[in-house]
Amino acid sequence: MRELVLTQPGRALEEEMVRETERSGSRREFEVRLHECGPVAYRVAQGVLRNRADAEDVAQEALLRAYRKFDRLRDPTRFRAWLVRIVFRLALDRLRSRKRRESRETTWALPERRPAPPTAEDLASSTELRARLERAMDELPEKLRLVLLLTAMQGYTLEEVSGMLGIPMGTVKSRLFFARKQLAEKLR
Amino acid sequence: MNCQQSQKGILDALAAGEAKLPGAVAAHQQDCAACQAYFESQARLFRQLEEGLTAIANEEVPASLLPRVRARLDEKPPQRYSWMPGWGLAAIAAVILGVSLGFVLHQPKHHAVLPENVSMAARGAENPVPGVRPPRKVVTPSLNHGHEHRRAFLAAANGSETVPEVIVLPEEQAAFAKFVRQLREQQEVILAVAHAAPANDDLPAEIASLEIEGLEMKPLDPGWE
């Protein structure tokens, strides 16, 4: 005759179930945030990097990092600001490493393989204007650049940018003013 | 308002995104064709700038972004790169500790060879006085090695090869040189000074009871005061 042993789920198992429930709740909440803030992450990265593949990689990395530390975020309403800072920092890191790589390659490249200087027609075209604008943005201080990007994004007011970056409205306005002025001087 | 001030006002207003120019600038511009042309060219530049910024900041988001992120949510976070495992760090710490301990334990002790009244400190070694050799060997005196100590001292007095060396403070060097010169003549004195005191020297001396001829001594009555 075989003995039937009834076992109760142990305390560890209960705790594991609680953790699993919390994890799934946290994941659901994160997915809502992901839907809301994923595009911002990509656009900030693209604004800095101006390379779709790189921007997508960086946005993805930032979103995954945010997810891994999502439980530690005390105020979920600050998620967007938190994510923007992560993605901006990662994008700047990527940009710097790309520039270092390009600098090495340019140093060693043969003269005939270097890009030809722009012609008058190029300068006249809007593509060239955009390229110049992008170069000018690269030269802006980081704080000015981020404010410029966020305020240029559709759907964000100055108040929202101020809340997102945790800085006063006056600071947003002054950074925007100096950023535009510097850009205009560089493009003139 | 001159043209320079007007053009600065135009730039500031455009950079601030003001809808209208300040009154004085607008008044100057109505009468100044150059400033009017400047305003138009700058307004066009700022318009292009805004258009370019809007285009840059509102790039179309790739449709693959969110699905790719969702697909990776269950991935384990990558392990942090560590250039050395934990046991490696522990081994390095142990080696450093061992070397430090060894160094500390094998440090020569800066005690003088001579008795305490002629013990010297290390700073006098830089300018040796003629007759005083620079420090090369430091001997630590010990009560348990009194005989060795005395032998070393005698040898020093006799000028043998094992001359003990001391480190002399600059202000004590002259006196020490004189002391060394007199050493040969006063060996017994120096030996007495250098000789370690016996361990029981500090015990209380036993005093014999006082005896005077023809006088009877009685102990004081403890009850009488």
Side-chain angles (χ1 to χ4, degrees), chain B residues 22-84:
Chain B
V25 177
H28 174 87
Q29 192 198 325
Q30 279 183 350
D31 300 333
C32 176
C35 286
Q36 203 165 4
Y38 182 80
F39 171 73
E40 282 167 11
S41 72
Q42 291 309 303
R44 194 167 50 248
L45 177 69
F46 273 90
R47 214 168 27 248
Q48 286 175 334
L49 197 152
E50 288 304 318
E51 285 169 8
L53 279 173
T54 306
I56 287 171
N58 294 284
E59 287 261 356
E60 193 184 342
V61 180
S64 58
L65 175 69
L66 299 188
R68 279 175 68 189
V69 174
R70 282 196 190 97
R72 291 183 60 193
L73 287 182
D74 293 328
E75 278 181 12
K76 285 185 178 176
Q79 294 292 320
R80 279 190 175 182
Y81 175 71
S82 172
W83 61 276
M84 186 172 287

Short mmCIF file of all heavy atoms in Angstrom, two decimals, chain B residues 22-84:
data_model
loop_
_atom_site.label_atom_id
_atom_site.label_comp_id
_atom_site.label_asym_id
_atom_site.label_seq_id
_atom_site.Cartn_x
_atom_site.Cartn_y
_atom_site.Cartn_z
N PRO B 22 10.00 94.82 -29.70
CA PRO B 22 9.78 95.88 -28.70
C PRO B 22 9.47 97.21 -29.40
O PRO B 22 9.92 97.44 -30.53
CB PRO B 22 11.11 95.95 -27.96
CG PRO B 22 11.79 94.67 -28.25
CD PRO B 22 11.31 94.20 -29.56
N GLY B 23 8.73 98.08 -28.72
CA GLY B 23 8.25 99.33 -29.33
C GLY B 23 9.33 100.17 -29.96
O GLY B 23 9.20 100.60 -31.11
N ALA B 24 10.43 100.40 -29.27
CA ALA B 24 11.49 101.27 -29.78
C ALA B 24 12.13 100.66 -31.02
O ALA B 24 12.45 101.37 -31.99
CB ALA B 24 12.55 101.47 -28.70
N VAL B 25 12.31 99.34 -31.00
CA VAL B 25 12.93 98.65 -32.15
C VAL B 25 11.99 98.73 -33.35
O VAL B 25 12.41 99.03 -34.48
CB VAL B 25 13.24 97.17 -31.80
CG1 VAL B 25 13.81 96.43 -33.01
CG2 VAL B 25 14.21 97.09 -30.64
N ALA B 26 10.73 98.51 -33.09
CA ALA B 26 9.74 98.55 -34.17
C ALA B 26 9.68 99.96 -34.77
O ALA B 26 9.59 100.12 -36.00
CB ALA B 26 8.38 98.13 -33.64
N ALA B 27 9.75 100.97 -33.91
CA ALA B 27 9.69 102.36 -34.38
C ALA B 27 10.90 102.68 -35.24
O ALA B 27 10.78 103.29 -36.31
CB ALA B 27 9.63 103.30 -33.18
N HIS B 28 12.09 102.21 -34.79
CA HIS B 28 13.31 102.45 -35.56
C HIS B 28 13.23 101.73 -36.92
O HIS B 28 13.61 102.28 -37.95
CB HIS B 28 14.53 101.96 -34.77
CG HIS B 28 15.81 102.04 -35.55
ND1 HIS B 28 16.60 103.17 -35.58
CD2 HIS B 28 16.44 101.13 -36.36
CE1 HIS B 28 17.65 102.96 -36.35
NE2 HIS B 28 17.57 101.71 -36.84
N GLN B 29 12.74 100.53 -36.89
CA GLN B 29 12.69 99.71 -38.10
C GLN B 29 11.78 100.32 -39.17
O GLN B 29 12.07 100.21 -40.37
CB GLN B 29 12.19 98.31 -37.71
CG GLN B 29 12.36 97.29 -38.80
CD GLN B 29 11.48 96.08 -38.54
OE1 GLN B 29 11.27 95.71 -37.40
NE2 GLN B 29 10.94 95.51 -39.58
N GLN B 30 10.72 100.98 -38.74
CA GLN B 30 9.79 101.60 -39.71
C GLN B 30 10.48 102.69 -40.52
O GLN B 30 10.18 102.89 -41.69
CB GLN B 30 8.60 102.18 -38.97
CG GLN B 30 7.57 101.12 -38.62
CD GLN B 30 6.35 101.70 -37.94
OE1 GLN B 30 6.34 102.87 -37.55
NE2 GLN B 30 5.32 100.88 -37.80
N ASP B 31 11.45 103.35 -39.88
CA ASP B 31 12.13 104.45 -40.57
C ASP B 31 13.46 104.03 -41.18
O ASP B 31 14.10 104.84 -41.87
CB ASP B 31 12.41 105.60 -39.57
CG ASP B 31 11.11 106.12 -38.97
OD1 ASP B 31 10.08 105.98 -39.65
OD2 ASP B 31 11.13 106.59 -37.81
N CYS B 32 13.94 102.79 -40.92
CA CYS B 32 15.27 102.38 -41.37
C CYS B 32 15.16 101.16 -42.29
O CYS B 32 14.79 100.06 -41.83
CB CYS B 32 16.14 102.07 -40.15
SG CYS B 32 17.77 101.45 -40.59
N ALA B 33 15.45 101.36 -43.52
CA ALA B 33 15.33 100.28 -44.50
C ALA B 33 16.35 99.17 -44.22
O ALA B 33 16.05 97.98 -44.39
CB ALA B 33 15.55 100.83 -45.91
N ALA B 34 17.54 99.56 -43.77
CA ALA B 34 18.59 98.56 -43.50
C ALA B 34 18.14 97.62 -42.38
O ALA B 34 18.29 96.39 -42.48
CB ALA B 34 19.89 99.26 -43.11
N CYS B 35 17.58 98.20 -41.33
CA CYS B 35 17.13 97.36 -40.20
C CYS B 35 15.92 96.52 -40.59
O CYS B 35 15.76 95.40 -40.10
CB CYS B 35 16.81 98.24 -38.99
SG CYS B 35 18.31 98.87 -38.20
N GLN B 36 15.12 97.08 -41.48
CA GLN B 36 13.95 96.30 -41.94
C GLN B 36 14.45 95.06 -42.71
O GLN B 36 13.94 93.95 -42.51
CB GLN B 36 13.10 97.17 -42.86
CG GLN B 36 11.67 96.70 -42.93
CD GLN B 36 10.75 97.77 -43.53
OE1 GLN B 36 11.20 98.84 -43.96
NE2 GLN B 36 9.47 97.49 -43.58
N ALA B 37 15.44 95.28 -43.58
CA ALA B 37 16.00 94.15 -44.33
C ALA B 37 16.67 93.15 -43.39
O ALA B 37 16.55 91.94 -43.55
CB ALA B 37 17.02 94.69 -45.35
N TYR B 38 17.35 93.70 -42.39
CA TYR B 38 18.02 92.82 -41.42
C TYR B 38 16.98 91.96 -40.69
O TYR B 38 17.16 90.75 -40.52
CB TYR B 38 18.80 93.67 -40.41
CG TYR B 38 19.56 92.85 -39.39
CD1 TYR B 38 20.78 92.28 -39.70
CD2 TYR B 38 19.02 92.64 -38.12
CE1 TYR B 38 21.46 91.51 -38.77
CE2 TYR B 38 19.70 91.87 -37.19
CZ TYR B 38 20.92 91.32 -37.51
OH TYR B 38 21.59 90.55 -36.60
N PHE B 39 15.88 92.62 -40.29
CA PHE B 39 14.83 91.88 -39.59
C PHE B 39 14.28 90.75 -40.47
O PHE B 39 14.10 89.62 -40.02
CB PHE B 39 13.69 92.83 -39.20
CG PHE B 39 12.48 92.11 -38.67
CD1 PHE B 39 12.48 91.52 -37.41
CD2 PHE B 39 11.33 91.98 -39.45
CE1 PHE B 39 11.38 90.83 -36.94
CE2 PHE B 39 10.23 91.29 -38.98
CZ PHE B 39 10.25 90.72 -37.72
N GLU B 40 14.05 91.05 -41.73
CA GLU B 40 13.48 90.03 -42.62
C GLU B 40 14.44 88.85 -42.80
O GLU B 40 14.02 87.70 -42.76
CB GLU B 40 13.13 90.66 -43.98
CG GLU B 40 11.81 91.44 -43.89
CD GLU B 40 11.57 92.33 -45.11
OE1 GLU B 40 12.31 92.18 -46.11
OE2 GLU B 40 10.66 93.16 -45.04
N SER B 41 15.73 89.19 -42.99
CA SER B 41 16.69 88.08 -43.18
C SER B 41 16.81 87.24 -41.90
O SER B 41 16.85 86.00 -41.96
CB SER B 41 18.05 88.64 -43.60
OG SER B 41 18.66 89.28 -42.50
N GLN B 42 16.83 87.90 -40.76
CA GLN B 42 16.97 87.16 -39.49
C GLN B 42 15.70 86.35 -39.17
O GLN B 42 15.78 85.23 -38.67
CB GLN B 42 17.28 88.12 -38.34
CG GLN B 42 18.66 88.74 -38.42
CD GLN B 42 19.76 87.71 -38.62
OE1 GLN B 42 19.91 86.79 -37.83
NE2 GLN B 42 20.52 87.85 -39.69
N ALA B 43 14.56 86.94 -39.50
CA ALA B 43 13.30 86.22 -39.25
C ALA B 43 13.26 84.96 -40.11
O ALA B 43 12.82 83.89 -39.66
CB ALA B 43 12.11 87.13 -39.56
N ARG B 44 13.75 85.08 -41.35
CA ARG B 44 13.79 83.91 -42.24
C ARG B 44 14.74 82.83 -41.67
O ARG B 44 14.42 81.65 -41.66
CB ARG B 44 14.25 84.34 -43.64
CG ARG B 44 14.00 83.29 -44.71
CD ARG B 44 14.15 83.81 -46.12
NE ARG B 44 15.39 84.54 -46.34
CZ ARG B 44 15.46 85.85 -46.58
NH1 ARG B 44 14.36 86.59 -46.63
NH2 ARG B 44 16.63 86.45 -46.78
N LEU B 45 15.90 83.29 -41.19
CA LEU B 45 16.88 82.35 -40.60
C LEU B 45 16.28 81.62 -39.40
O LEU B 45 16.37 80.39 -39.29
CB LEU B 45 18.13 83.12 -40.18
CG LEU B 45 19.21 82.28 -39.47
CD1 LEU B 45 19.85 81.30 -40.44
CD2 LEU B 45 20.28 83.18 -38.86
N PHE B 46 15.61 82.35 -38.53
CA PHE B 46 15.03 81.72 -37.33
C PHE B 46 13.89 80.78 -37.71
O PHE B 46 13.69 79.75 -37.07
CB PHE B 46 14.56 82.79 -36.33
CG PHE B 46 15.67 83.23 -35.40
CD1 PHE B 46 16.50 84.28 -35.73
CD2 PHE B 46 15.90 82.57 -34.20
CE1 PHE B 46 17.53 84.69 -34.90
CE2 PHE B 46 16.94 82.97 -33.35
CZ PHE B 46 17.76 84.02 -33.70
N ARG B 47 13.17 81.15 -38.78
CA ARG B 47 12.09 80.26 -39.24
C ARG B 47 12.67 78.94 -39.74
O ARG B 47 12.19 77.86 -39.41
CB ARG B 47 11.31 80.97 -40.36
CG ARG B 47 9.83 80.64 -40.33
CD ARG B 47 8.97 81.53 -41.23
NE ARG B 47 9.62 82.12 -42.38
CZ ARG B 47 9.86 83.42 -42.51
NH1 ARG B 47 9.54 84.27 -41.54
NH2 ARG B 47 10.41 83.90 -43.62
N GLN B 48 13.74 79.05 -40.52
CA GLN B 48 14.39 77.83 -41.02
C GLN B 48 14.94 77.00 -39.86
O GLN B 48 14.86 75.77 -39.87
CB GLN B 48 15.54 78.21 -41.96
CG GLN B 48 15.08 78.69 -43.32
CD GLN B 48 16.26 79.18 -44.18
OE1 GLN B 48 17.28 79.61 -43.65
NE2 GLN B 48 16.09 79.11 -45.49
N LEU B 49 15.46 77.74 -38.91
CA LEU B 49 16.03 77.05 -37.73
C LEU B 49 14.94 76.27 -36.99
O LEU B 49 15.13 75.09 -36.65
CB LEU B 49 16.62 78.14 -36.83
CG LEU B 49 17.61 77.76 -35.74
CD1 LEU B 49 18.54 78.94 -35.49
CD2 LEU B 49 16.88 77.42 -34.48
N GLU B 50 13.81 76.89 -36.81
CA GLU B 50 12.70 76.22 -36.11
C GLU B 50 12.21 75.02 -36.90
O GLU B 50 11.94 73.96 -36.33
CB GLU B 50 11.53 77.19 -35.89
CG GLU B 50 11.80 78.25 -34.83
CD GLU B 50 12.18 77.65 -33.48
OE1 GLU B 50 11.56 76.66 -33.06
OE2 GLU B 50 13.11 78.18 -32.84
N GLU B 51 12.14 75.19 -38.22
CA GLU B 51 11.67 74.08 -39.06
C GLU B 51 12.66 72.91 -38.97
O GLU B 51 12.26 71.75 -38.85
CB GLU B 51 11.54 74.54 -40.52
CG GLU B 51 10.30 75.40 -40.75
CD GLU B 51 10.31 76.09 -42.12
OE1 GLU B 51 11.21 75.78 -42.95
OE2 GLU B 51 9.43 76.93 -42.35
N GLY B 52 13.92 73.27 -39.05
CA GLY B 52 14.95 72.22 -38.97
C GLY B 52 14.91 71.51 -37.62
O GLY B 52 14.97 70.27 -37.55
N LEU B 53 14.76 72.27 -36.56
CA LEU B 53 14.71 71.68 -35.22
C LEU B 53 13.49 70.77 -35.05
O LEU B 53 13.58 69.68 -34.49
CB LEU B 53 14.64 72.79 -34.16
CG LEU B 53 15.96 73.44 -33.78
CD1 LEU B 53 15.71 74.62 -32.86
CD2 LEU B 53 16.87 72.44 -33.10
N THR B 54 12.36 71.25 -35.58
CA THR B 54 11.13 70.45 -35.48
C THR B 54 11.31 69.13 -36.23
O THR B 54 10.90 68.07 -35.75
CB THR B 54 9.94 71.25 -36.04
OG1 THR B 54 9.90 72.50 -35.37
CG2 THR B 54 8.63 70.53 -35.82
N ALA B 55 11.95 69.23 -37.39
CA ALA B 55 12.18 68.00 -38.17
C ALA B 55 13.10 67.05 -37.42
O ALA B 55 12.86 65.84 -37.36
CB ALA B 55 12.76 68.36 -39.53
N ILE B 56 14.14 67.60 -36.83
CA ILE B 56 15.11 66.76 -36.12
C ILE B 56 14.46 66.12 -34.88
O ILE B 56 14.66 64.95 -34.59
CB ILE B 56 16.35 67.61 -35.71
CG1 ILE B 56 17.20 67.92 -36.93
CG2 ILE B 56 17.20 66.87 -34.67
CD1 ILE B 56 18.31 68.92 -36.66
N ALA B 57 13.68 66.93 -34.18
CA ALA B 57 13.15 66.47 -32.89
C ALA B 57 11.92 65.58 -33.03
O ALA B 57 11.46 65.02 -32.03
CB ALA B 57 12.81 67.67 -32.02
N ASN B 58 11.36 65.52 -34.24
CA ASN B 58 10.13 64.73 -34.39
C ASN B 58 10.27 63.66 -35.46
O ASN B 58 9.35 63.42 -36.24
CB ASN B 58 8.95 65.66 -34.70
CG ASN B 58 8.66 66.57 -33.53
OD1 ASN B 58 8.09 66.15 -32.53
ND2 ASN B 58 9.10 67.81 -33.63
N GLU B 59 11.42 63.05 -35.48
CA GLU B 59 11.65 61.96 -36.43
C GLU B 59 10.62 60.85 -36.20
O GLU B 59 10.20 60.63 -35.05
CB GLU B 59 13.05 61.38 -36.19
CG GLU B 59 14.15 62.28 -36.66
CD GLU B 59 14.68 61.88 -38.01
OE1 GLU B 59 14.23 60.85 -38.54
OE2 GLU B 59 15.54 62.61 -38.53
N GLU B 60 10.29 60.20 -37.27
CA GLU B 60 9.33 59.08 -37.14
C GLU B 60 9.97 57.96 -36.33
O GLU B 60 11.13 57.59 -36.58
CB GLU B 60 8.96 58.58 -38.54
CG GLU B 60 7.77 57.67 -38.54
CD GLU B 60 7.49 57.11 -39.93
OE1 GLU B 60 7.99 57.68 -40.91
OE2 GLU B 60 6.80 56.08 -40.00
N VAL B 61 9.21 57.45 -35.38
CA VAL B 61 9.76 56.40 -34.52
C VAL B 61 9.65 55.05 -35.26
O VAL B 61 8.58 54.73 -35.78
CB VAL B 61 8.96 56.33 -33.20
CG1 VAL B 61 9.51 55.24 -32.29
CG2 VAL B 61 9.02 57.68 -32.50
N PRO B 62 10.72 54.30 -35.33
CA PRO B 62 10.65 53.00 -36.02
C PRO B 62 9.62 52.08 -35.36
O PRO B 62 9.56 52.02 -34.12
CB PRO B 62 12.06 52.42 -35.88
CG PRO B 62 12.90 53.50 -35.37
CD PRO B 62 12.04 54.55 -34.77
N ALA B 63 8.84 51.42 -36.17
CA ALA B 63 7.79 50.55 -35.63
C ALA B 63 8.38 49.38 -34.84
O ALA B 63 7.71 48.78 -34.00
CB ALA B 63 6.93 50.02 -36.78
N SER B 64 9.63 49.08 -35.12
CA SER B 64 10.24 47.91 -34.47
C SER B 64 10.70 48.20 -33.04
O SER B 64 11.03 47.27 -32.30
CB SER B 64 11.45 47.45 -35.29
OG SER B 64 12.38 48.50 -35.39
N LEU B 65 10.72 49.48 -32.66
CA LEU B 65 11.32 49.82 -31.35
C LEU B 65 10.59 49.15 -30.19
O LEU B 65 11.21 48.41 -29.41
CB LEU B 65 11.34 51.34 -31.16
CG LEU B 65 11.83 51.80 -29.78
CD1 LEU B 65 13.31 51.52 -29.61
CD2 LEU B 65 11.56 53.29 -29.56
N LEU B 66 9.30 49.40 -30.06
CA LEU B 66 8.59 48.89 -28.88
C LEU B 66 8.51 47.35 -28.87
O LEU B 66 8.76 46.75 -27.82
CB LEU B 66 7.21 49.53 -28.76
CG LEU B 66 7.22 51.06 -28.60
CD1 LEU B 66 5.83 51.59 -28.31
CD2 LEU B 66 8.18 51.52 -27.52
N PRO B 67 8.20 46.71 -30.00
CA PRO B 67 8.22 45.23 -29.97
C PRO B 67 9.58 44.67 -29.56
O PRO B 67 9.66 43.70 -28.81
CB PRO B 67 7.87 44.83 -31.40
CG PRO B 67 7.14 46.00 -31.95
CD PRO B 67 7.71 47.21 -31.28
N ARG B 68 10.63 45.31 -30.02
CA ARG B 68 11.98 44.80 -29.67
C ARG B 68 12.24 44.96 -28.17
O ARG B 68 12.84 44.08 -27.55
CB ARG B 68 13.04 45.54 -30.48
CG ARG B 68 13.19 44.98 -31.89
CD ARG B 68 14.14 45.80 -32.71
NE ARG B 68 15.53 45.70 -32.23
CZ ARG B 68 16.52 46.45 -32.69
NH1 ARG B 68 16.28 47.35 -33.63
NH2 ARG B 68 17.73 46.29 -32.23
N VAL B 69 11.80 46.07 -27.64
CA VAL B 69 12.00 46.27 -26.19
C VAL B 69 11.17 45.25 -25.43
O VAL B 69 11.67 44.61 -24.49
CB VAL B 69 11.61 47.71 -25.77
CG1 VAL B 69 11.67 47.87 -24.26
CG2 VAL B 69 12.54 48.72 -26.42
N ARG B 70 9.89 45.07 -25.84
CA ARG B 70 9.02 44.10 -25.13
C ARG B 70 9.63 42.70 -25.17
O ARG B 70 9.59 41.97 -24.19
CB ARG B 70 7.64 44.08 -25.76
CG ARG B 70 6.79 45.26 -25.35
CD ARG B 70 5.32 45.04 -25.65
NE ARG B 70 4.61 46.29 -25.46
CZ ARG B 70 4.30 47.14 -26.45
NH1 ARG B 70 4.60 46.84 -27.70
NH2 ARG B 70 3.67 48.27 -26.19
N ALA B 71 10.20 42.38 -26.31
CA ALA B 71 10.77 41.04 -26.46
C ALA B 71 11.97 40.83 -25.53
O ALA B 71 12.30 39.70 -25.18
CB ALA B 71 11.19 40.82 -27.91
N ARG B 72 12.59 41.91 -25.16
CA ARG B 72 13.81 41.77 -24.32
C ARG B 72 13.56 42.01 -22.84
O ARG B 72 14.49 41.96 -22.05
CB ARG B 72 14.89 42.74 -24.82
CG ARG B 72 15.45 42.33 -26.18
CD ARG B 72 16.55 43.25 -26.60
NE ARG B 72 17.66 43.25 -25.66
CZ ARG B 72 18.64 44.14 -25.66
NH1 ARG B 72 18.65 45.10 -26.56
NH2 ARG B 72 19.62 44.08 -24.78
N LEU B 73 12.30 42.28 -22.49
CA LEU B 73 12.01 42.59 -21.08
C LEU B 73 12.34 41.42 -20.15
O LEU B 73 12.68 41.63 -18.99
CB LEU B 73 10.55 43.00 -20.90
CG LEU B 73 10.17 44.38 -21.43
CD1 LEU B 73 8.70 44.68 -21.15
CD2 LEU B 73 11.03 45.48 -20.83
N ASP B 74 12.19 40.20 -20.66
CA ASP B 74 12.43 39.04 -19.79
C ASP B 74 13.88 38.59 -19.77
O ASP B 74 14.23 37.66 -19.07
CB ASP B 74 11.53 37.87 -20.22
CG ASP B 74 10.08 38.21 -19.95
OD1 ASP B 74 9.82 38.94 -18.97
OD2 ASP B 74 9.21 37.77 -20.73
N GLU B 75 14.67 39.25 -20.57
CA GLU B 75 16.09 38.88 -20.58
C GLU B 75 16.73 39.21 -19.24
O GLU B 75 16.34 40.19 -18.59
CB GLU B 75 16.85 39.68 -21.65
CG GLU B 75 16.73 39.12 -23.02
CD GLU B 75 17.54 39.96 -24.01
OE1 GLU B 75 18.33 40.80 -23.59
OE2 GLU B 75 17.34 39.75 -25.22
N LYS B 76 17.68 38.38 -18.88
CA LYS B 76 18.43 38.69 -17.66
C LYS B 76 19.35 39.85 -17.95
O LYS B 76 19.94 39.92 -19.03
CB LYS B 76 19.24 37.48 -17.20
CG LYS B 76 18.37 36.42 -16.57
CD LYS B 76 19.21 35.30 -16.02
CE LYS B 76 18.34 34.26 -15.35
NZ LYS B 76 19.08 33.12 -14.89
N PRO B 77 19.50 40.75 -16.99
CA PRO B 77 20.43 41.87 -17.23
C PRO B 77 21.84 41.35 -17.44
O PRO B 77 22.23 40.36 -16.81
CB PRO B 77 20.33 42.71 -15.96
CG PRO B 77 19.72 41.83 -14.95
CD PRO B 77 18.90 40.82 -15.67
N PRO B 78 22.57 41.99 -18.32
CA PRO B 78 23.95 41.52 -18.56
C PRO B 78 24.77 41.65 -17.29
O PRO B 78 24.60 42.60 -16.54
CB PRO B 78 24.46 42.46 -19.66
CG PRO B 78 23.58 43.66 -19.57
CD PRO B 78 22.26 43.21 -19.06
N GLN B 79 25.64 40.66 -17.11
CA GLN B 79 26.52 40.71 -15.94
C GLN B 79 27.47 41.87 -16.09
O GLN B 79 27.95 42.15 -17.18
CB GLN B 79 27.35 39.40 -15.85
CG GLN B 79 26.50 38.19 -15.57
CD GLN B 79 25.91 38.21 -14.18
OE1 GLN B 79 26.58 38.60 -13.24
NE2 GLN B 79 24.65 37.83 -14.04
N ARG B 80 27.68 42.52 -14.98
CA ARG B 80 28.64 43.62 -15.02
C ARG B 80 30.04 43.08 -15.28
O ARG B 80 30.43 42.10 -14.65
CB ARG B 80 28.64 44.38 -13.71
CG ARG B 80 27.51 45.36 -13.63
CD ARG B 80 27.72 46.23 -12.45
NE ARG B 80 26.70 47.27 -12.42
CZ ARG B 80 26.65 48.21 -11.51
NH1 ARG B 80 27.53 48.25 -10.57
NH2 ARG B 80 25.70 49.11 -11.53
N TYR B 81 30.73 43.72 -16.16
CA TYR B 81 32.08 43.27 -16.48
C TYR B 81 33.01 43.55 -15.30
O TYR B 81 33.06 44.65 -14.78
CB TYR B 81 32.60 44.00 -17.72
CG TYR B 81 34.03 43.67 -18.03
CD1 TYR B 81 34.38 42.42 -18.52
CD2 TYR B 81 35.04 44.59 -17.80
CE1 TYR B 81 35.69 42.11 -18.78
CE2 TYR B 81 36.35 44.29 -18.06
CZ TYR B 81 36.67 43.04 -18.56
OH TYR B 81 37.97 42.75 -18.82
N SER B 82 33.65 42.52 -14.88
CA SER B 82 34.60 42.70 -13.80
C SER B 82 35.97 42.26 -14.29
O SER B 82 36.11 41.16 -14.82
CB SER B 82 34.18 41.85 -12.61
OG SER B 82 35.18 41.89 -11.64
N TRP B 83 36.93 43.11 -14.17
CA TRP B 83 38.25 42.78 -14.70
C TRP B 83 38.96 41.75 -13.86
O TRP B 83 39.95 41.17 -14.25
CB TRP B 83 39.11 44.03 -14.85
CG TRP B 83 39.35 44.74 -13.55
CD1 TRP B 83 38.52 45.63 -12.95
CD2 TRP B 83 40.46 44.61 -12.69
NE1 TRP B 83 39.04 46.06 -11.78
CE2 TRP B 83 40.24 45.45 -11.58
CE3 TRP B 83 41.64 43.85 -12.73
CZ2 TRP B 83 41.13 45.55 -10.54
CZ3 TRP B 83 42.53 43.97 -11.68
CH2 TRP B 83 42.27 44.82 -10.60
N MET B 84 38.43 41.47 -12.65
CA MET B 84 39.07 40.49 -11.80
C MET B 84 38.03 39.84 -10.90
O MET B 84 37.17 40.53 -10.37
CB MET B 84 40.13 41.19 -10.95
CG MET B 84 40.95 40.21 -10.15
SD MET B 84 42.30 41.03 -9.34
CE MET B 84 43.35 41.34 -10.72
#
